[in-house]
Amino acid sequence: MKIILTHEVPNLGSAGDVVEVKNGYGRNYLLPQGLAIAWTKGGQKEVDAIQRARAARQIHDLDQARALAEQLKKTDAHIVARTGDGDRLFGSITAVDIVKAVDEAGGPKIDRRRVELSSTIKSVGTYDVSVKLHPEVTAKFKLQVTPAKRRKK
């Protein structure tokens, strides 16, 4: 089955790529999730629009990616979250929260889809966060999660 990806799919391709997948994978997962559309001759216009949008967001060269990686290494991202007993968070820290913390710390603008978490962040502590800026450049920085002050009853 030939499809056009509308979002980045790990180990398959980026938005705007035309790929060949097995019928079941395309029909039962990619199409219903909105990650892809069926390929047609008229779909080429949509491919061009997706690729133009991706080019505007994408980091253009290796030097720019390395410069952003250096900026991220110097960034001290900090998130204050509500906690319960044993310093467990109510909920978890998401990629959107991390991007917001980097922005507030004066770091560079990064895309939330580029943030790679090795595991979910559900407790207070210091975590290593990776951001895949370029196929050859992955930036790592420290994220500190601290508890919010509790009100006394």
Side-chain angles (χ1 to χ4, degrees), residues 6 8-9 21 23 29-30 53 65-66 73 97 101 103 123 132:
T6 57
E8 187 170 334
V9 179
V21 296
N23 289 338
Y29 178 70
L30 295 173
R66 287 186 178 140
K73 284 181 186 176
D97 298 328
D103 191 35
S123 61
K132 189 168 179 94

Side-chain angles (χ1 to χ4, degrees), residues 38-55:
W39 184 86
T40 60
K41 289 182 183 178
Q44 188 61 39
K45 289 180 185 175
E46 192 161 336
V47 169
D48 294 339
I50 291 170
Q51 287 177 340
R52 277 195 303 272
R54 182 176 65 182

Side-chain angles (χ1 to χ4, degrees), residues 69-80:
E70 286 301 316
Q71 278 184 302
L72 273 173
K73 284 181 186 176
K74 296 174 186 172
T75 303
D76 291 328
H78 185 85
I79 295 177
V80 177

Side-chain angles (χ1 to χ4, degrees), residues 114-131:
R114 302 282 181 200
V115 175
E116 298 175 341
L117 296 171
S118 57
S119 63
T120 57
I121 299 175
K122 292 189 172 193
S123 61
V124 172
T126 303
Y127 297 89
D128 290 323
V129 178
S130 300
V131 179

Side-chain angles (χ1 to χ4, degrees), residues 7-8 57 95 99 110-116:
H7 292 67
E8 187 170 334
R57 280 194 320 264
V99 169
I110 53 176
D111 187 7
R112 68 175 170 77
R113 293 175 290 247
R114 302 282 181 200
V115 175
E116 298 175 341

